[in-house]
Amino acid sequence: MAYGIAAVAARLARLVRNREAARGGARLALVLRVENVEMLRASIGPAMLEQMLDRLLRRLVADLRLLPQSRSPGSAEIQGMLGILRQQAVPGLLARLQTICSAGVDLPDLRICPVVNAVIVSDESGRQDAAALYAHGRAALQGCSPFSAAGQLRFVEMLPQAGPVALPALAPDRIGLLFQPQICCDTGAVLALRVLPRIRMDDQDSCDLAELQPRLDDETLGLVTAQVLRQAFAALRVWDRMGARVPLLSLPLSDRALADPATADAILWELDRQDLPPERLEVEVTEPVGRHGGRLPVGASLQRLGIAGCAVALGEFGTGSAGLDDLRRFGMRRVRIGRNFIAGCDRRADQQRMILAILALAEHLGLATLADGVATQEEQAFLAQIGFNGVQGPAVAPPLEPAAVDDFLLAHGHSLPAPFDLRRKA
């Protein structure tokens, strides 16, 4: 942090201590999160991102009299105590914060307008420490959509009798599932249903769990994963009772989730509780193996699930997300090839050459292939013609609510041709 900011922060700290002594310790805290930090890192680079975050922090210190907590490099979150200690000043603080967030950040030859969600937390009693205020603010941020273009600014009070902070995203009614049908290119039958966990936000919009994971601590992520497993396997049991043939569920899991040994425990326990064989589940690795959770713990979870009978698949094959040794070591049986390679494959020669090269590598390694994001019937026909095993995407079926999956499975089953009967007629 620059020397000037540190000096201002020291003066603000003395001011805060003096005013707390005079007013009985009323406190205001700010928790601010830049939601599109990964996109910015990829587009402007880590160095420019750090400059942007540093300049945003300076503006908050200067205009809001923020006493910031130290921020680790690359962190998307800014926390700090406010030098203004009157709750009556909150509307003005929110207005100034709105101006700061909407103005953008000027960099050399560039202006960046980050997507920012923020919350001001009030503790009139002064009995809560800064860590408790920050935790309360982070919990309130979980209810803000990360996709709102203008961001969301909120004010919350921390009541004196408040106990542990309740995380709204953990409520079972906030967690829901969509299912993406995957269709066999040879027979037209359903190969699998891909599980897409969603979390409903305070504004009633729902967001993909993958987008919200950076906000969740490990314990919270584990509880959400357990709820997803419970709902997904219960739905599979319902389809089994209907007589609809769903060979398996494909569940994408992040590196962080797989690094926790409790995730493998929860998967195997829930399969056993629902009386489902492990072969009915495919675990899809969605990130470079070990990037966030460490290769040893992630590898141990994958090997344990593979030994139990679960299938292991690799998402985004061809983008460098896993080495060839990972495919062999973890016994991966299927690879998903994303929209970046699929788009326009029926008419673009460059896409066709790239897809054929990836397809040849997968075939050499004995891996089944799934084309993701298939948007047109022409793309689907081309992919089936060149040898893909399965497809998913808007041209096949959109992600469906569980009730809509019931109708899809029944209608799709009736649309398939009857198997040819070779038995001699009596």
Side-chain angles (χ1 to χ4, degrees):
M1 184 180 294
Y3 173 77
I5 296 178
V8 172
R11 290 196 296 272
L12 281 174
R14 290 193 295 272
L15 176 64
V16 169
R17 286 194 296 269
N18 293 338
R19 290 197 175 184
E20 283 179 349
R23 289 181 46 81
R27 313 180 83 188
L28 293 174
L30 172 70
V31 181
L32 179 146
R33 183 176 179 84
V34 178
E35 298 290 1
N36 58 340
V37 68
E38 292 299 331
M39 184 189 73
L40 292 173
R41 182 179 288 112
S43 60
I44 66 176
M48 292 285 280
L49 175 63
E50 280 302 307
Q51 289 185 40
M52 186 210 76
L53 292 170
D54 187 53
R55 293 192 182 193
L56 176 60
L57 178 59
R58 292 183 195 178
R59 182 85 187 272
L60 294 169
V61 169
D63 290 7
L64 296 184
R65 299 167 66 186
L66 180 72
L67 177 64
Q69 187 188 45
S70 60
R71 182 183 64 83
S72 58
S75 172
E77 195 169 86
I78 294 173
Q79 303 172 349
M81 304 302 296
L82 294 167
I84 299 174
L85 305 176
R86 301 183 309 278
Q87 194 176 103
Q88 293 84 350
V90 168
L93 289 173
L94 287 172
R96 272 182 273 171
L97 184 58
Q98 178 66 57
T99 300
I100 295 170
C101 295
S102 60
V105 180
D106 289 320
L107 298 175
D109 303 321
L110 185 66
R111 169 169 284 190
I112 303 295
C113 293
V115 177
V116 172
N117 286 328
V119 60
I120 293 177
V121 184
S122 167
D123 171 31
E124 285 295 296
S125 71
R127 288 196 288 268
Q128 301 290 345
D129 60 16
L133 293 174
Y134 297 149
H136 200 80
R138 283 195 298 271
L141 280 180
Q142 287 189 14
C144 297
S145 170
F147 300 116
S148 173
Q152 295 176 265
L153 306 180
R154 303 179 62 181
F155 168 71
V156 296
E157 285 189 88
M158 195 167 184
L159 300 177
Q161 68 270 23
V165 176
L167 300 178
L170 283 183
D173 62 345
R174 285 182 176 259
I175 302 170
L177 302 180
L178 298 178
F179 295 89
Q180 180 88 57
Q182 301 174 353
I183 303 300
C184 177
C185 289
D186 295 327
T187 66
V190 173
L191 283 176
L193 293 175
R194 189 168 190 251
V195 182
L196 303 173
R198 308 283 294 178
I199 293 182
R200 181 171 53 82
M201 312 306 295
D202 284 348
D203 57 8
Q204 303 302 311
D205 288 338
S206 63
C207 298
D208 194 323
L209 174 60
E211 299 290 340
L212 299 177
Q213 281 198 44
R215 297 184 184 181
L216 307 180
D217 57 31
D218 291 341
E219 181 181 3
T220 303
L221 180 59
L223 293 171
V224 172
T225 301
Q227 180 66 21
V228 168
L229 293 169
R230 191 171 302 118
Q231 292 186 27
F233 294 156
L236 184 58
R237 289 291 307 276
V238 170
W239 296 320
D240 286 347
R241 289 193 292 270
M242 286 172 48
R245 189 173 183 277
V246 179
L248 56 83
L249 296 179
S250 181
L251 176 65
L253 287 175
S254 69
D255 203 62
R256 275 183 59 206
L258 287 167
D260 186 355
T263 299
D265 292 337
I267 289 173
L268 298 177
W269 182 85
E270 193 65 34
L271 283 168
D272 184 67
R273 189 178 76 86
Q274 301 273 6
D275 196 24
L276 292 168
E279 292 78 12
R280 302 293 299 279
L281 177 68
E282 175 187 76
V283 174
E284 181 188 300
V285 181
T286 59
E287 297 174 281
V289 177
R291 183 168 116 188
H292 292 116
R295 286 184 62 84
L296 288 179
V298 173
S301 293
L302 289 174
Q303 288 177 338
R304 183 181 173 199
L305 292 171
I307 291 171
C310 298
V312 180
L314 174 66
E316 300 298 336
F317 185 59
T319 60
S321 57
L324 296 181
D325 183 61
D326 290 335
L327 298 173
R328 175 189 57 79
R329 179 184 176 193
F330 302 123
M332 295 182 182
R333 307 176 192 175
R334 192 165 73 138
V335 292
R336 178 172 58 84
I337 299 172
R339 178 67 185 167
N340 288 342
F341 295 110
I342 301 303
C345 61
D346 58 307
R347 63 183 188 278
R348 291 177 51 186
D350 58 335
Q351 292 286 72
Q352 292 172 5
R353 288 192 295 269
M354 196 174 301
I355 290 173
L356 288 170
I358 295 173
L359 196 60
L361 176 60
E363 184 177 358
H364 178 73
L365 296 171
L367 298 168
T369 50
L370 173 75
D372 187 16
V374 181
T376 67
Q377 295 296 328
E378 291 76 16
E379 290 175 356
Q380 182 176 351
F382 174 80
L383 295 167
Q385 184 180 6
I386 64 173
F388 269 80
N389 299 106
V391 290
Q392 72 175 19
V396 177
L400 302 170
E401 298 278 354
V405 174
D406 299 349
D407 298 332
F408 172 84
L409 292 174
L410 291 174
H412 187 74
H414 290 147
S415 69
L416 294 176
F420 185 70
D421 192 350
L422 294 178
R423 293 174 297 177
R424 180 176 300 177
K425 294 183 178 179

